[in-house]
Amino acid sequence: MSNLLRKNIERKIPLTDEEWNCIVSKAELIKLKKNQFLQIQDSNNSYEGFILKGSFKTYILNENGTETVIFFSFENEWMCDLESFYHQKPTTYNIKAIEDSEILVINKTQKVQLFAAIPKLMQFHVLMIESANIAIQQRLLDVLNKTSKQRYLDFKERYPQKISTINNKNLSSYLGVSHEFLSKIKRSF
């Protein structure tokens, strides 16, 4: 399964077998059942991870106990609480498996060690951060400029194989609408 990670990295930079073995030696495989947490809000346990199998939701729990889903992450995607990971601050988000999942993770210390051992990984790192920033900007623009119906259609088009695995509670939170309104949107198609 870790070959998915190697292919993902090698789309941007070539790796020798020795470099790949170094990466594998630093990564940890975590298997989570549906509804298990990878990260809990306000903890001191943050990872950068590559999803091999399954799906995750990244969300905050508001003071009134309401969940606000910020992102969904799926197979062959990277996931990270950026501020917590890079600045070693308490975590901002909860990250929870929404189906049985497997993720390769690395902590900040291990990543620094990889940069020292394989300097060209910095190039890959920069490309990852650029992609993350673009995704965050796009999410913000979508929330500000698109209707909930447009956001639903965009999500359905981007992740047709996953739309059925996300329950209405999570999807309505992500779209910023009530369950009833989401049901109305779905019925219109």
Side-chain angles (χ1 to χ4, degrees):
M1 277 273 218
S2 60
N3 284 338
L4 284 175
L5 175 59
R6 185 169 185 170
K7 287 178 186 173
N8 184 276
I9 294 171
E10 287 188 327
R11 286 184 312 163
K12 305 291 183 188
I13 62 166
L15 293 172
T16 65
D17 287 342
E18 183 180 338
E19 291 167 336
W20 172 242
N21 290 333
C22 182
I23 291 169
V24 169
S25 74
K26 302 291 184 204
E28 175 188 355
L29 176 65
I30 296 178
K31 294 181 179 185
L32 297 168
K33 296 287 185 195
K34 180 178 181 175
N35 293 322
Q36 284 187 306
F37 287 90
L38 176 67
Q39 173 179 300
I40 296 176
Q41 190 172 331
D42 296 321
S43 70
N44 289 312
N45 194 16
S46 183
Y47 300 102
E48 182 175 81
F50 180 77
I51 303 168
L52 298 172
K53 173 186 165 196
S55 306
F56 292 84
K57 69 176 178 178
T58 299
Y59 69 97
I60 56 171
L61 196 57
N62 300 322
E63 289 178 14
N64 64 1
T66 305
E67 284 185 14
T68 301
V69 177
I70 309 299
F71 286 108
F72 291 106
S73 303
F74 305 108
E75 289 99 353
N76 209 28
E77 291 183 346
W78 291 91
M79 183 174 63
C80 186
D81 181 336
L82 295 170
E83 183 177 24
S84 175
F85 184 80
Y86 290 107
H87 297 289
Q88 300 297 282
K89 292 184 175 183
T91 57
T92 305
Y93 307 104
N94 292 295
I95 300 177
K96 188 183 217 180
I98 56 176
E99 60 184 331
D100 291 353
S101 300
E102 295 179 8
I103 184 169
L104 286 169
V105 298
I106 191 168
N107 66 33
K108 175 91 183 278
T109 302
Q110 293 163 325
K111 188 160 186 172
V112 169
Q113 291 169 353
L114 278 177
F115 287 159
I118 311 168
K120 67 182 174 184
L121 280 178
M122 282 295 292
Q123 177 187 357
F124 182 75
H125 168 77
V126 168
L127 296 171
M128 280 179 45
I129 295 299
E130 286 174 358
S131 292
N133 283 333
I134 289 167
I136 292 165
Q137 285 180 337
Q138 189 59 55
R139 173 86 168 113
L140 180 60
L141 287 172
D142 287 351
V143 168
L144 293 173
N145 295 316
K146 292 183 178 179
T147 67
S148 49
K149 184 176 179 180
Q150 288 171 313
R151 291 193 311 274
Y152 171 75
L153 290 173
D154 288 350
F155 188 86
K156 188 176 176 182
E157 183 180 317
R158 185 170 180 196
Y159 300 108
Q161 73 286 5
K162 288 296 182 178
I163 194 83
S164 63
T165 66
I166 299 171
N167 67 36
N168 280 353
K169 178 184 173 197
N170 288 328
L171 190 54
S172 61
S173 174
Y174 175 79
L175 295 172
V177 300
S178 68
H179 304 309
E180 296 78 17
F181 193 72
L182 176 59
S183 294
K184 184 178 175 182
I185 291 171
K186 285 181 163 185
R187 278 194 307 270
S188 69
F189 296 101

